Short mmCIF file of all heavy atoms in Angstrom, two decimals:
data_model
loop_
_atom_site.label_atom_id
_atom_site.label_comp_id
_atom_site.label_asym_id
_atom_site.label_seq_id
_atom_site.Cartn_x
_atom_site.Cartn_y
_atom_site.Cartn_z
N THR A 1 -112.71 -4.30 17.96
CA THR A 1 -112.60 -5.49 18.81
C THR A 1 -112.67 -6.82 18.07
O THR A 1 -112.39 -7.86 18.66
CB THR A 1 -113.70 -5.48 19.90
OG1 THR A 1 -114.98 -5.54 19.26
CG2 THR A 1 -113.59 -4.25 20.79
N GLY A 2 -113.06 -6.81 16.81
CA GLY A 2 -113.12 -8.05 16.03
C GLY A 2 -113.99 -9.10 16.70
O GLY A 2 -115.11 -8.82 17.11
N PHE A 3 -113.45 -10.30 16.86
CA PHE A 3 -114.21 -11.41 17.42
C PHE A 3 -114.02 -11.55 18.94
O PHE A 3 -114.38 -12.58 19.51
CB PHE A 3 -113.86 -12.72 16.71
CG PHE A 3 -114.42 -12.77 15.31
CD1 PHE A 3 -113.71 -12.28 14.24
CD2 PHE A 3 -115.69 -13.30 15.09
CE1 PHE A 3 -114.24 -12.31 12.96
CE2 PHE A 3 -116.22 -13.33 13.82
CZ PHE A 3 -115.49 -12.83 12.74
N SER A 4 -113.48 -10.52 19.57
CA SER A 4 -113.35 -10.53 21.03
C SER A 4 -114.75 -10.52 21.63
O SER A 4 -115.67 -9.93 21.08
CB SER A 4 -112.56 -9.32 21.50
OG SER A 4 -111.28 -9.32 20.93
N THR A 5 -114.87 -11.15 22.79
CA THR A 5 -116.18 -11.19 23.46
C THR A 5 -116.30 -10.12 24.54
O THR A 5 -117.41 -9.79 24.95
CB THR A 5 -116.42 -12.58 24.08
OG1 THR A 5 -115.34 -12.90 24.95
CG2 THR A 5 -116.55 -13.65 22.99
N TYR A 6 -115.18 -9.58 24.97
CA TYR A 6 -115.20 -8.51 25.97
C TYR A 6 -115.64 -7.21 25.31
O TYR A 6 -115.15 -6.85 24.24
CB TYR A 6 -113.82 -8.33 26.60
CG TYR A 6 -113.76 -7.20 27.60
CD1 TYR A 6 -114.21 -7.37 28.90
CD2 TYR A 6 -113.28 -5.95 27.23
CE1 TYR A 6 -114.18 -6.34 29.82
CE2 TYR A 6 -113.24 -4.90 28.13
CZ TYR A 6 -113.70 -5.10 29.42
OH TYR A 6 -113.67 -4.06 30.32
N GLU A 7 -116.58 -6.51 25.94
CA GLU A 7 -117.06 -5.22 25.44
C GLU A 7 -116.51 -4.11 26.32
O GLU A 7 -116.84 -4.05 27.51
CB GLU A 7 -118.58 -5.19 25.40
CG GLU A 7 -119.16 -6.19 24.43
CD GLU A 7 -120.69 -6.14 24.34
OE1 GLU A 7 -121.34 -5.38 25.09
OE2 GLU A 7 -121.23 -6.86 23.48
N PRO A 8 -115.67 -3.24 25.76
CA PRO A 8 -115.06 -2.16 26.55
C PRO A 8 -116.12 -1.26 27.19
O PRO A 8 -117.16 -0.98 26.60
CB PRO A 8 -114.24 -1.38 25.52
CG PRO A 8 -113.99 -2.35 24.42
CD PRO A 8 -115.20 -3.23 24.37
N LYS A 9 -115.82 -0.81 28.39
CA LYS A 9 -116.72 0.06 29.14
C LYS A 9 -116.23 1.51 29.17
O LYS A 9 -116.98 2.41 29.51
CB LYS A 9 -116.87 -0.47 30.57
CG LYS A 9 -117.52 -1.84 30.63
CD LYS A 9 -117.28 -2.51 31.99
CE LYS A 9 -117.75 -3.93 32.02
NZ LYS A 9 -117.16 -4.82 31.04
N HIS A 10 -114.96 1.73 28.85
CA HIS A 10 -114.37 3.05 28.99
C HIS A 10 -113.82 3.60 27.67
O HIS A 10 -113.23 4.68 27.65
CB HIS A 10 -113.25 3.01 30.04
CG HIS A 10 -113.72 2.42 31.33
ND1 HIS A 10 -114.45 3.13 32.25
CD2 HIS A 10 -113.61 1.17 31.84
CE1 HIS A 10 -114.76 2.35 33.26
NE2 HIS A 10 -114.25 1.16 33.04
N CYS A 11 -114.01 2.88 26.60
CA CYS A 11 -113.50 3.26 25.29
C CYS A 11 -114.62 3.15 24.25
O CYS A 11 -115.50 2.31 24.37
CB CYS A 11 -112.37 2.32 24.86
SG CYS A 11 -111.02 2.19 26.04
N LYS A 12 -114.53 3.97 23.22
CA LYS A 12 -115.43 3.82 22.08
C LYS A 12 -114.96 2.58 21.32
O LYS A 12 -113.76 2.35 21.18
CB LYS A 12 -115.32 5.07 21.19
CG LYS A 12 -116.21 5.02 19.98
CD LYS A 12 -116.05 6.28 19.14
CE LYS A 12 -116.78 6.10 17.83
NZ LYS A 12 -116.49 7.17 16.87
N TRP A 13 -115.90 1.78 20.83
CA TRP A 13 -115.49 0.55 20.15
C TRP A 13 -116.52 0.09 19.13
O TRP A 13 -117.69 0.49 19.17
CB TRP A 13 -115.24 -0.56 21.16
CG TRP A 13 -116.48 -1.00 21.91
CD1 TRP A 13 -117.02 -0.40 23.01
CD2 TRP A 13 -117.33 -2.10 21.59
NE1 TRP A 13 -118.16 -1.07 23.40
CE2 TRP A 13 -118.37 -2.12 22.54
CE3 TRP A 13 -117.31 -3.07 20.59
CZ2 TRP A 13 -119.38 -3.07 22.53
CZ3 TRP A 13 -118.32 -4.01 20.58
CH2 TRP A 13 -119.34 -4.01 21.54
N SER A 14 -116.06 -0.76 18.25
CA SER A 14 -116.92 -1.44 17.27
C SER A 14 -116.24 -2.75 16.93
O SER A 14 -115.01 -2.83 16.90
CB SER A 14 -117.09 -0.59 16.02
OG SER A 14 -117.90 -1.26 15.07
N LYS A 15 -117.02 -3.78 16.67
CA LYS A 15 -116.43 -5.06 16.28
C LYS A 15 -115.59 -4.89 15.01
O LYS A 15 -114.47 -5.37 14.94
CB LYS A 15 -117.52 -6.11 16.07
CG LYS A 15 -118.15 -6.54 17.39
CD LYS A 15 -118.34 -8.04 17.41
CE LYS A 15 -118.78 -8.50 18.76
NZ LYS A 15 -117.70 -9.02 19.59
N LEU A 16 -116.14 -4.22 14.03
CA LEU A 16 -115.45 -3.98 12.76
C LEU A 16 -115.75 -2.56 12.30
O LEU A 16 -116.80 -2.00 12.63
CB LEU A 16 -115.91 -4.98 11.70
CG LEU A 16 -115.64 -6.46 12.02
CD1 LEU A 16 -116.38 -7.35 11.03
CD2 LEU A 16 -114.16 -6.77 12.01
N PHE A 17 -114.84 -1.98 11.53
CA PHE A 17 -115.04 -0.69 10.90
C PHE A 17 -114.91 -0.87 9.39
O PHE A 17 -114.09 -1.70 8.94
CB PHE A 17 -113.97 0.32 11.35
CG PHE A 17 -114.10 0.78 12.76
CD1 PHE A 17 -113.23 0.32 13.75
CD2 PHE A 17 -115.07 1.71 13.13
CE1 PHE A 17 -113.32 0.76 15.06
CE2 PHE A 17 -115.18 2.16 14.44
CZ PHE A 17 -114.31 1.69 15.41
N PRO A 18 -115.64 -0.09 8.61
CA PRO A 18 -115.39 -0.11 7.16
C PRO A 18 -113.94 0.33 6.90
O PRO A 18 -113.35 1.07 7.70
CB PRO A 18 -116.37 0.93 6.60
CG PRO A 18 -117.38 1.15 7.68
CD PRO A 18 -116.70 0.83 8.98
N TYR A 19 -113.38 -0.11 5.80
CA TYR A 19 -111.98 0.17 5.48
C TYR A 19 -111.68 1.67 5.53
O TYR A 19 -110.67 2.09 6.10
CB TYR A 19 -111.63 -0.41 4.11
CG TYR A 19 -110.16 -0.30 3.78
CD1 TYR A 19 -109.25 -1.19 4.34
CD2 TYR A 19 -109.68 0.69 2.93
CE1 TYR A 19 -107.89 -1.10 4.05
CE2 TYR A 19 -108.33 0.79 2.63
CZ TYR A 19 -107.45 -0.11 3.20
OH TYR A 19 -106.11 -0.02 2.92
N SER A 20 -112.57 2.49 4.97
CA SER A 20 -112.33 3.94 4.96
C SER A 20 -112.28 4.50 6.38
O SER A 20 -111.51 5.42 6.66
CB SER A 20 -113.41 4.66 4.14
OG SER A 20 -114.69 4.42 4.70
N GLU A 21 -113.06 3.95 7.28
CA GLU A 21 -113.03 4.41 8.67
C GLU A 21 -111.76 3.93 9.38
O GLU A 21 -111.21 4.63 10.22
CB GLU A 21 -114.28 3.93 9.41
CG GLU A 21 -114.57 4.74 10.65
CD GLU A 21 -115.95 4.47 11.22
OE1 GLU A 21 -116.86 4.04 10.49
OE2 GLU A 21 -116.10 4.69 12.44
N MET A 22 -111.30 2.73 9.02
CA MET A 22 -110.01 2.25 9.56
C MET A 22 -108.90 3.22 9.14
O MET A 22 -108.08 3.62 9.97
CB MET A 22 -109.68 0.85 9.03
CG MET A 22 -110.52 -0.26 9.60
SD MET A 22 -110.11 -0.67 11.30
CE MET A 22 -108.52 -1.43 11.11
N GLU A 23 -108.89 3.58 7.87
CA GLU A 23 -107.88 4.52 7.37
C GLU A 23 -107.94 5.85 8.12
O GLU A 23 -106.91 6.39 8.52
CB GLU A 23 -108.08 4.79 5.87
CG GLU A 23 -107.67 3.66 4.98
CD GLU A 23 -107.87 3.99 3.52
OE1 GLU A 23 -108.95 4.53 3.16
OE2 GLU A 23 -106.93 3.74 2.74
N LYS A 24 -109.14 6.35 8.32
CA LYS A 24 -109.32 7.62 9.03
C LYS A 24 -108.86 7.51 10.48
O LYS A 24 -108.15 8.39 10.98
CB LYS A 24 -110.78 8.08 8.97
CG LYS A 24 -111.01 9.42 9.67
CD LYS A 24 -112.44 9.88 9.55
CE LYS A 24 -112.72 11.21 10.21
NZ LYS A 24 -111.77 11.79 11.09
N ASN A 25 -109.25 6.44 11.16
CA ASN A 25 -108.84 6.25 12.56
C ASN A 25 -107.32 6.18 12.69
O ASN A 25 -106.73 6.77 13.60
CB ASN A 25 -109.47 5.00 13.15
CG ASN A 25 -110.96 5.16 13.42
OD1 ASN A 25 -111.45 6.27 13.61
ND2 ASN A 25 -111.68 4.06 13.43
N ILE A 26 -106.68 5.48 11.76
CA ILE A 26 -105.22 5.37 11.79
C ILE A 26 -104.58 6.72 11.52
O ILE A 26 -103.64 7.12 12.21
CB ILE A 26 -104.74 4.28 10.81
CG1 ILE A 26 -105.09 2.90 11.38
CG2 ILE A 26 -103.25 4.40 10.51
CD1 ILE A 26 -104.93 1.75 10.42
N ALA A 27 -105.09 7.44 10.53
CA ALA A 27 -104.54 8.76 10.21
C ALA A 27 -104.71 9.74 11.36
O ALA A 27 -103.82 10.55 11.65
CB ALA A 27 -105.20 9.30 8.94
N ASP A 28 -105.85 9.68 12.05
CA ASP A 28 -106.15 10.63 13.13
C ASP A 28 -105.46 10.28 14.45
O ASP A 28 -105.34 11.13 15.33
CB ASP A 28 -107.66 10.70 13.38
CG ASP A 28 -108.42 11.33 12.22
OD1 ASP A 28 -107.78 11.93 11.33
OD2 ASP A 28 -109.67 11.23 12.20
N ALA A 29 -105.04 9.03 14.60
CA ALA A 29 -104.50 8.57 15.89
C ALA A 29 -103.11 9.12 16.15
O ALA A 29 -102.29 9.22 15.24
CB ALA A 29 -104.46 7.04 15.91
N ARG A 30 -102.85 9.44 17.40
CA ARG A 30 -101.49 9.77 17.83
C ARG A 30 -100.70 8.48 17.96
O ARG A 30 -99.53 8.41 17.61
CB ARG A 30 -101.52 10.51 19.16
CG ARG A 30 -100.13 10.91 19.65
CD ARG A 30 -100.19 11.66 20.98
NE ARG A 30 -100.50 10.78 22.10
CZ ARG A 30 -99.62 10.01 22.73
NH1 ARG A 30 -98.35 9.99 22.36
NH2 ARG A 30 -100.00 9.24 23.74
N VAL A 31 -101.37 7.42 18.47
CA VAL A 31 -100.76 6.11 18.65
C VAL A 31 -101.69 5.06 18.07
O VAL A 31 -102.90 5.11 18.30
CB VAL A 31 -100.52 5.79 20.14
CG1 VAL A 31 -99.91 4.40 20.31
CG2 VAL A 31 -99.65 6.84 20.81
N VAL A 32 -101.11 4.12 17.33
CA VAL A 32 -101.86 2.97 16.81
C VAL A 32 -101.31 1.73 17.48
O VAL A 32 -100.10 1.51 17.50
CB VAL A 32 -101.75 2.85 15.28
CG1 VAL A 32 -102.48 1.61 14.77
CG2 VAL A 32 -102.25 4.11 14.58
N ILE A 33 -102.22 0.93 18.04
CA ILE A 33 -101.85 -0.35 18.65
C ILE A 33 -102.52 -1.45 17.84
O ILE A 33 -103.73 -1.39 17.60
CB ILE A 33 -102.31 -0.42 20.13
CG1 ILE A 33 -101.69 0.73 20.93
CG2 ILE A 33 -101.96 -1.78 20.73
CD1 ILE A 33 -102.26 0.88 22.33
N THR A 34 -101.74 -2.43 17.41
CA THR A 34 -102.29 -3.51 16.58
C THR A 34 -101.89 -4.87 17.14
O THR A 34 -101.02 -4.98 17.99
CB THR A 34 -101.77 -3.44 15.13
OG1 THR A 34 -100.45 -3.98 15.06
CG2 THR A 34 -101.79 -2.03 14.57
#
């Protein structure tokens, strides 16, 4: 979510992820939205 102020209620979220976790999330995702 970065600097967004809205906190999702129905999705797993984090303001920031370490780079290695970003890579893993992208690799594991069926769809990436940026």
